[in-house]
Amino acid sequence: MATLATDSVSENAVDPLDMSRAELYRDDVWQAPFRELRGKAPVYYTENSAFGSFWSVSSYKPIVEVESLPDLYSSEAGGITIADLQEGDIKMPMFIAMDRPKHTGQRRTVAPAFTPSEMVRMNTNIRARSAEILDSLPVGKEFDWVDTVSIELTTQMLAILFDFPWEERRLLTYWSDWAGDIEIAKDPVRKEERRNILFECAAYFGNLWQGKLGKEPTPDLISMMIHSDAMSHMDQMEFLGNLILLIVGGNDTTRNSMSAYAWGLDQFPDERAKLEANPELIPNAVQEIIRWQTPLAHMRRTATQDTELAGQQIRAGDKLALWYLSANRDESVFPDADRIIVDRENARRHLAFGHGIHRCVGARLAELQIGILLEEMAKRRLRVNVLREPERVAACFVHGYKKMPVELSRY
């Protein structure tokens, strides 16, 4: 194997190719080490990390291979992040972290909320809410894009999906941020705090569930669960697990792609100008922005038996981190991959929503929300100008932004 940056590093030193390190994402410096891994060791063993040992799978082709073999590479055996469950941790079964056949039944329960016909039904509402928020924004004055636009739009959508009390919708953002923070696994005090917060979440949703029992079906996710054979008899932890999955999935992915639209196009003004001059490129630009951002950096799989992947011997029980973030920058698939190219021909080949049986069930809704935001911005000829470097999430799971100071202008 070709020489890697780690070959001369002592056992006690930090492995520069340990891609679980939070500072890589906080400081936005993950690109170079992933480039080295893709070029020299697309399946690389990280022996000592804060999350234990794991294989980093960083290239497009081996990630697709793993995702295409769900019986060999389990989602259920170890969960979906490289943070292992430890004694005393909350065990929250969720369908994304289940294997067949149970995964199939539970996914089918919520899938009707995201069909093409549902997207048509929700289009008018999403467009009206997007227009209302954009029309309230100051032009020529500084504000935080993340909180004012990205978080607010996605939290409103989640409230509608769950038929959640509108005036308390920001609780959904609060729970999502706590649930999706992989770094909490390293801190016993914060783990206990998260445990209490998530039980509050479960109690709140438990009351919503009770309020819908015995009622006619409605097109919200809780009612769909109640009226399904696969999910109507879930215990409290399984109910909480699936709620957290849907909240984090619906919140973090869409919100961070909306923020990437602002940041990314500001970094590539030639591509922004191309999009402004050719609004018919918006559907493709949405895919390209999602590819470039990749709002969930990895998913984890666990090998169920000894096997081989890209020339490496994988043992039963080994943990694999599938770095979607890196695969979406794989130059063999996406030339000039570090750039946003709004008319990129194969932008839709991105792996930001995963691949195979666990591909994101809400992908269409995320695409719809981001697309409508871009369309409504174009109608108003509004441009986002980022004023300073954004504050990023310091974590290897959710790849996103905490704050982004911007100013709007007209073009």
Side-chain angles (χ1 to χ4, degrees):
M1 184 183 291
T3 302
L4 294 178
T6 56
D7 289 351
S8 60
V9 176
S10 71
E11 286 185 13
N12 295 325
V14 172
D15 180 351
L17 297 178
D18 171 9
M19 301 311 298
S20 72
R21 291 177 294 134
E23 63 270 20
L24 294 172
Y25 308 95
R26 178 198 64 201
D27 301 336
D28 198 36
V29 294
W30 49 269
Q31 297 87 345
F34 270 135
R35 193 177 301 118
E36 181 174 358
L37 284 175
R38 290 194 302 272
K40 297 177 180 178
V43 179
Y44 170 79
Y45 193 64
T46 301
E47 188 167 359
N48 297 302
S49 85
F51 300 103
S53 59
F54 64 93
W55 292 94
S56 268
V57 188
S58 57
S59 292
Y60 192 98
K61 187 176 179 181
I63 287 179
V64 169
E65 180 179 341
V66 170
E67 293 276 58
S68 300
L69 299 168
D71 297 324
L72 179 57
Y73 299 102
S74 170
S75 297
E76 189 169 329
I80 58 168
T81 78
I82 57 174
D84 293 315
L85 272 177
Q86 297 165 359
E87 188 175 348
D89 285 354
I90 306 174
K91 293 179 174 62
M92 298 183 298
M94 56 184 73
F95 67 81
I96 197 173
M98 293 176 183
D99 296 330
R100 297 180 291 194
K102 193 169 184 180
H103 163 266
T104 307
Q106 294 203 357
R107 182 185 172 97
R108 282 177 179 164
T109 296
V110 300
F114 307 104
T115 59
S117 61
E118 277 299 289
M119 297 306 98
V120 171
R121 186 183 70 82
M122 286 193 278
N123 187 299
T124 302
N125 177 278
I126 294 171
R127 194 170 297 280
R129 289 186 294 101
S130 300
E132 182 179 1
I133 286 177
L134 295 185
D135 288 340
S136 73
L137 298 177
V139 176
K141 292 184 180 179
E142 180 177 329
F143 66 94
D144 177 15
W145 179 268
V146 173
D147 184 74
T148 310
V149 179
S150 305
I151 289 178
E152 184 56 27
L153 278 174
T154 50
T155 304
Q156 287 184 9
M157 188 73 254
L158 281 173
I160 291 168
L161 285 173
F162 284 112
D163 192 19
F164 194 87
W166 193 254
E167 65 283 358
E168 297 188 303
R169 63 188 180 277
R170 282 290 177 125
L171 281 171
L172 295 165
T173 307
Y174 175 69
W175 292 328
S176 177
D177 288 345
W178 273 96
D181 187 352
I182 194 173
E183 292 297 301
I184 290 174
K186 304 173 185 176
D187 186 338
V189 174
R190 294 185 72 213
K191 277 173 67 173
E192 183 61 27
E193 190 175 356
R194 172 163 66 183
R195 180 187 183 90
N196 293 332
I197 288 167
L198 293 185
F199 279 135
E200 290 171 6
C201 172
Y204 195 109
F205 272 99
N207 288 332
L208 295 182
W209 178 286
Q210 290 299 320
K212 290 179 177 290
L213 279 177
K215 304 286 179 62
E216 289 296 310
T218 50
D220 60 90
L221 291 168
I222 296 177
S223 182
M224 287 179 181
M225 293 179 189
I226 287 172
H227 291 277
S228 83
D229 292 335
M231 300 178 87
S232 59
H233 301 297
M234 293 182 292
D235 63 27
Q236 185 187 34
M237 288 299 96
E238 194 169 337
F239 178 47
L240 178 59
N242 279 307
L243 287 173
I244 295 302
L245 164 63
L246 293 164
I247 292 170
V248 173
N251 179 47
D252 286 312
T253 53
T254 309
R255 131 188 181 186
N256 288 312
S257 295
M258 286 177 171
S259 295
Y261 151 67
W263 171 247
L265 291 184
D266 191 82
Q267 301 310 294
F268 302 103
D270 53 336
E271 293 298 315
R272 179 172 64 188
K274 186 192 300 181
L275 185 61
E276 288 172 351
N278 301 278
E280 68 276 9
L281 292 175
I282 285 175
N284 197 74
V286 168
Q287 300 297 329
E288 176 68 347
I289 289 164
I290 294 170
R291 177 200 71 83
W292 184 80
Q293 177 61 25
T294 313
L296 290 180
H298 80 269
M299 283 285 172
R300 174 248 186 99
R301 301 291 182 258
T302 304
T304 59
Q305 61 189 63
D306 293 355
T307 187
E308 182 179 305
L309 180 66
Q312 297 295 327
Q313 296 301 311
I314 310 297
R315 301 297 181 191
D318 280 2
K319 178 182 2 178
L320 298 90
L322 309 183
W323 293 108
Y324 300 150
L325 182 62
S326 177
N328 283 340
R329 300 295 180 97
D330 190 331
E331 296 273 0
S332 70
V333 180
F334 306 106
D336 205 3
D338 287 334
R339 286 182 55 81
I340 288 178
I341 301 173
V342 294
D343 54 355
R344 185 184 293 277
E345 291 184 0
N346 67 343
R348 285 185 175 273
R349 286 190 65 190
H350 71 78
L351 297 179
F353 292 127
H355 180 83
I357 66 168
H358 289 289
R359 188 176 188 276
C360 176
V361 70
R364 284 194 193 99
L365 181 58
E367 293 163 353
L368 178 64
Q369 292 177 86
I370 300 161
I372 286 176
L373 173 62
L374 270 63
E375 289 167 4
E376 293 301 314
M377 288 287 288
K379 281 181 188 176
R380 290 159 177 76
R381 300 186 67 82
L382 284 172
R383 174 186 294 166
V384 188
N385 306 289
V386 181
L387 301 177
R388 293 179 298 282
E389 190 81 10
E391 181 183 342
R392 295 178 173 86
V393 175
C396 69
F397 184 56
V398 173
H399 180 229
Y401 309 85
K402 289 185 174 181
K403 295 179 181 178
M404 189 182 300
V406 305
E407 185 178 276
L408 295 182
S409 60
R410 306 273 183 188
Y411 62 89

